[in-house]
Amino acid sequence: MSTAPETLEFKAELKQLLHLITHSLYSDREIFLRELISNASDAINKVRFDALANADKLEGNTDWKIKLTPDSAAGTLTISDNGIGMSRAEVIENLGTVAQSGTRAFLEAAKQAGKSSEAPGLIGQFGVGFYSAFMVADKVAVVTRPAGSSPADGAHWESDGQGTYSIEPCEKPSRGTDVILHLKEDAKDYLEPFRLRGLVRKFSDFLEHPVVMDVEQEKEGKKETHEEVLNSRKAIWLRNKSEVKREEYDEFYKSLTHDSEPPAAVLHYAAEGKTEFKVLAFIPTQKPFSFDWEEQVAGLRLYVQRVLIMDRCEQVLPFYLRFVRGLVDSADLPLNVSRELLQQNPLLEVIQKSVVKNVLDTLGGMKNVEFDKYLTFYKGFGPVLKEGLARDWSNREKIADLLLFESANTEPGKYTTFAEYMEKMPEGQEAIYYLIGESGEQLRKSPYLETFRAKGRDVLLLTDPVDEFAIPGFGAYKGKQLQAADRGDTSTGDAIPADVQEKFAGLLTSLKGKLPEVADIRLTTRLTESAACLVADGAAVSAHMERLMERMGRDAGGAKRALELNPQNPAVEAVRDLHIKDSTDPRIEGYARLLYEQALIAEGSAVTDPIAFARRVNDLIARDAKG
């Protein structure tokens, strides 16, 4: 086997990432130590978990620690661990490339943040924490050896972050990883023991594993070296809630999530009785940059007596609460529990019910007492929360009480709730009406609202894509059915008088043969100003749902909708008069098609043939201009 170093190039986007890190992100660059210590802690947790099934991987090396070694003479700071380690292939995969979507999202978010203090806080959110080392180092070396391998299976990786890296085999006596930072001149203060001690206490004080450093002490006139533990190591969730300061919760949350903002709320409690477990969970202030880009994973960290068993245990937190981060520490689960056994363990159902109840109660309290804070949270995570209407049947009423809506009667940017809507319902109204579309601004101008406004009835305006799935499935709130304002079966109590039906009967029969695109043509009382609208009948797919499906590249089936005409509109009356005069007049079909196309535009859909539509409008203009 050749021992010569092999030089390889970073992937293109990683080059951009490294250029950005080394040239732009300088404020708060001390977070590099938090990131590298967190990586080392994760590596130890992984080997401990693997060893539950394969104890040979430990090789007797169970003195878990993360060691900092500053070397003033060489200008280097080394962060060492005895964790899982990496093979040569894993080094190339983990350090020579990075998840493409994560990198791209990071670059875009960092571009928006510019050189603000917000930019370094983005690093951990996108899985690129290792590369923060280049904020303080002009060269980084990694010496690593995977668990279960021989000393000759080590790998030595090195790069100056300028576009290439080298990798070669090396001897490493023990399992684990050493990250060696050749510090820049303006970063040499990170070699000072007091500086390192302060950063560890700031960012990693509650870490389960000891972070150590050799320090010299004078004893009886002689200098002696001993290993000092820099972090307290007392798991914050094991302490009494009254003993923990808010600042300590905030730092623990940031170290856990890499969020640059403190959490909006902290849930810290212990369950005692037949089952005992402790919970420390956090509700974020706002949606992180990475939330829409990263793989959607739910769950809390699962510990058994302080041993990390699973990084995200889905069984203790439902998917619609995936924005909640934190941990559960159980005293009753076995240490060697497997994923298969977890799925069958009734204790996890008890834990999940407890966590869900506390999260929903906390959100309810925030909404009632700190509405502005809740609104910031809701603007980011409201759509995610709505998924619970269909996913969590037992808590659907609680979830519904947390939802906020714009409505036809609220000012733009203001919100109402289901409960407030019902309080203001006029006497005789038997349903809660809603309308789904692209934006509140568009929906406020919708013809579907006309009769509701005339009767003083409010309509909820829903603009999240998930609304098409969540709200109709919810069905009813406190006995009041939810009804779509653009459905054919939505009634406001009025009927078309018989004499009006008779006046338009001939026209409707004629038009039904001229517009094969629609399922039916009929008169309506839902319009007070507009001439026409399209409505879906029964369980047919709505126009908005069709548009959503098309964007996802899926065929929605193209169900025909009914064209409803307002008999009091002058344009509709004019077409009727023209039909009475001469039912064979070719203009009748052109006008009917214009009514259909304007209804398409009003609902937010595109006309099938915009050229023909423009021609018909131009003909009308020319005819009107000539008098």
Side-chain angles (χ1 to χ4, degrees):
M1 180 175 65
S2 172
T3 58
E6 182 181 358
T7 300
L8 302 171
E9 285 199 0
F10 288 116
K11 296 295 185 182
E13 284 187 324
L14 187 47
K15 285 184 183 179
Q16 297 178 48
L17 174 73
L18 289 169
H19 179 82
L20 178 66
I21 287 174
T22 54
H23 292 87
S24 301
L25 306 182
Y26 282 102
S27 58
D28 287 344
R29 58 181 182 169
E30 62 188 23
I31 65 160
F32 84 92
L33 192 60
R34 179 191 72 191
E35 296 299 320
L36 296 180
I37 289 176
S38 293
N39 289 349
S41 177
D42 289 343
I44 293 173
N45 287 333
K46 286 176 183 176
V47 79
R48 292 178 72 191
F49 180 75
D50 285 358
L52 294 174
N54 186 0
D56 292 342
K57 282 196 172 183
L58 297 182
E59 306 164 17
N61 182 359
T62 57
D63 182 19
W64 310 115
K65 68 174 78 170
I66 300 159
K67 187 163 188 174
L68 307 183
T69 308
D71 186 333
S72 299
T76 62
L77 173 64
T78 302
I79 298 92
S80 305
D81 67 69
N82 57 344
I84 194 77
M86 291 179 284
S87 65
R88 180 184 186 279
E90 288 169 333
V91 169
I92 293 174
E93 181 182 354
N94 294 332
L95 304 186
T97 62
V98 74
Q100 293 301 301
S101 61
T103 311
R104 195 175 298 116
F106 174 85
L107 292 170
E108 182 60 33
K111 182 180 177 183
Q112 293 177 12
K115 293 185 179 180
S116 72
S117 60
E118 184 178 27
L122 303 173
I123 285 177
Q125 296 182 29
F126 293 92
V128 294
F130 168 77
Y131 305 102
S132 63
F134 287 101
M135 290 197 291
V136 296
D138 47 28
K139 185 170 71 173
V140 177
V142 175
V143 179
T144 185
R145 174 189 148 195
S149 66
S150 66
D153 292 327
H156 181 279
W157 179 98
E158 192 169 295
S159 177
D160 60 4
Q162 299 303 308
T164 64
Y165 62 91
S166 66
I167 187 167
E168 61 181 316
C170 72
E171 289 270 343
K172 190 175 189 301
S174 59
R175 174 199 71 234
T177 301
D178 302 331
V179 179
I180 305 154
L181 311 182
H182 295 260
L183 296 175
K184 299 176 180 179
E185 282 301 321
D186 62 352
K188 293 291 177 69
D189 59 316
Y190 295 113
L191 296 172
E192 299 293 338
F194 77 90
R195 184 88 161 99
L196 295 173
R197 192 178 288 112
L199 290 179
V200 169
R201 287 177 179 167
K202 177 179 179 181
F203 292 126
S204 309
D205 199 40
F206 313 114
L207 210 64
E208 177 185 358
H209 310 299
V211 180
V212 304
M213 178 174 60
D214 287 341
V215 295
E216 282 190 347
Q217 268 189 340
E218 197 164 303
K219 192 174 183 181
E220 297 178 357
K222 294 181 181 179
K223 285 188 177 180
E224 294 182 357
T225 300
H226 75 281
E227 196 173 74
E228 178 186 343
V229 178
L230 307 180
N231 54 332
S232 70
R233 295 188 61 213
K234 186 169 183 182
I236 190 172
W237 62 91
L238 298 181
R239 293 162 58 186
N240 191 297
K241 184 177 180 179
S242 62
E243 299 173 358
V244 185
K245 297 177 181 177
R246 180 59 195 242
E247 295 79 12
E248 293 177 288
Y249 283 129
D250 292 350
E251 287 303 330
F252 183 79
Y253 168 77
K254 290 178 182 178
S255 69
L256 179 72
T257 65
H258 307 293
D259 196 346
S260 56
E261 294 290 323
V266 179
L267 291 78
H268 185 190
Y269 66 94
E272 298 176 348
K274 289 184 178 180
T275 58
E276 293 186 6
F277 56 90
K278 300 181 187 300
V279 174
L280 177 56
F282 302 91
I283 296 171
T285 298
Q286 57 191 4
K287 186 163 69 173
F289 285 104
S290 60
F291 190 81
D292 293 327
W293 298 88
E294 64 189 3
E295 182 183 357
Q296 298 290 290
V297 181
L300 302 179
R301 284 190 174 187
L302 178 62
Y303 287 81
V304 175
Q305 299 173 37
R306 288 190 64 184
V307 176
L308 181 64
I309 300 299
M310 197 177 297
D311 193 52
R312 297 294 285 268
C313 181
E314 299 176 12
Q315 285 82 7
V316 299
L317 195 71
F319 193 66
Y320 74 92
L321 294 179
R322 58 190 177 274
F323 51 81
V324 179
R325 300 295 300 274
L327 58 92
V328 173
D329 194 339
S330 168
D332 298 326
L333 286 169
L335 266 174
N336 61 345
V337 68
S338 66
R339 288 179 183 270
E340 292 73 23
L341 288 173
L342 277 176
Q343 293 174 354
Q344 304 164 12
N345 197 303
L347 172 58
L348 293 182
E349 186 177 346
V350 174
I351 294 174
Q352 187 189 83
K353 286 182 179 178
S354 170
V355 173
V356 170
K357 179 184 183 303
N358 277 274
V359 168
L360 296 181
D361 287 349
T362 299
L363 288 173
M366 193 193 309
K367 177 172 117 4
N368 296 332
V369 179
E370 299 176 284
F371 184 77
D372 289 344
K373 180 190 284 189
Y374 182 77
L375 183 58
T376 301
F377 158 83
Y378 188 84
K379 285 179 178 179
F381 294 111
V384 182
L385 199 57
K386 286 178 184 176
E387 295 173 17
L389 292 177
R391 292 175 181 267
D392 189 351
W393 195 261
S394 61
N395 287 298
R396 58 207 307 265
E397 289 279 352
K398 266 190 169 184
I399 297 166
D401 283 329
L402 294 172
L403 304 184
L404 304 178
F405 309 96
E406 285 194 61
S407 78
N409 288 354
T410 62
E411 296 177 30
K414 301 293 183 181
Y415 296 87
T416 188
T417 63
F418 277 133
E420 290 169 352
Y421 180 99
M422 285 185 61
E423 286 176 9
K424 297 176 181 178
M425 281 170 51
E427 189 175 347
Q429 181 177 333
E430 294 301 323
I432 296 173
Y433 299 108
Y434 66 87
L435 186 60
I436 302 177
E438 308 296 330
S439 68
E441 182 182 10
Q442 179 206 45
L443 291 177
R444 289 176 190 279
K445 300 173 183 176
S446 173
Y448 301 111
L449 300 182
E450 291 175 4
T451 188
F452 294 97
R453 284 199 177 102
K455 293 182 176 294
R457 298 180 181 181
D458 202 359
V459 178
L460 302 177
L461 309 180
L462 312 179
T463 57
D464 294 324
V466 71
D467 290 328
E468 280 284 7
F469 306 92
I471 300 301
F474 181 47
Y477 176 79
K478 298 192 183 305
K480 295 291 184 181
Q481 289 296 313
L482 273 64
Q483 291 191 19
D486 57 352
R487 287 280 170 177
D489 55 0
T490 300
S491 171
T492 55
D494 293 334
I496 302 292
D499 60 325
V500 176
Q501 290 277 18
E502 186 177 345
K503 285 180 184 178
F504 283 85
L507 173 65
L508 296 181
T509 302
S510 175
L511 294 186
K512 287 176 184 178
K514 293 177 170 55
L515 292 176
E517 298 93 336
V518 299
D520 190 17
I521 301 177
R522 61 197 180 214
L523 300 180
T524 184
T525 60
R526 77 173 72 234
L527 302 174
T528 59
E529 299 174 10
S530 301
C533 68
L534 287 162
V535 297
D537 285 331
V541 175
S542 68
H544 183 253
M545 175 66 91
E546 281 190 10
R547 294 193 295 273
L548 285 178
M549 300 289 276
E550 286 173 6
R551 288 174 198 162
M552 294 187 287
R554 298 174 64 181
D555 183 8
K560 293 181 179 180
R561 295 187 295 287
L563 177 65
E564 294 190 346
L565 302 178
N566 177 7
Q568 297 180 327
N569 183 274
V572 177
E573 289 181 327
V575 177
R576 181 204 63 188
D577 294 343
L578 184 60
H579 180 268
I580 292 172
K581 290 179 184 177
D582 183 2
S583 62
T584 64
D585 193 318
R587 290 177 295 173
I588 293 174
E589 181 175 352
Y591 293 154
R593 193 154 291 282
L594 274 174
L595 290 171
Y596 166 67
E597 288 167 334
Q598 67 173 260
L600 275 175
I601 294 170
E603 73 176 11
S605 300
V607 295
T608 308
D609 188 346
I611 302 300
F613 171 71
R615 189 184 306 119
R616 281 188 282 275
V617 173
N618 289 339
D619 288 346
L620 273 179
I621 294 172
R623 194 176 297 124
D624 184 68
K626 289 177 180 177

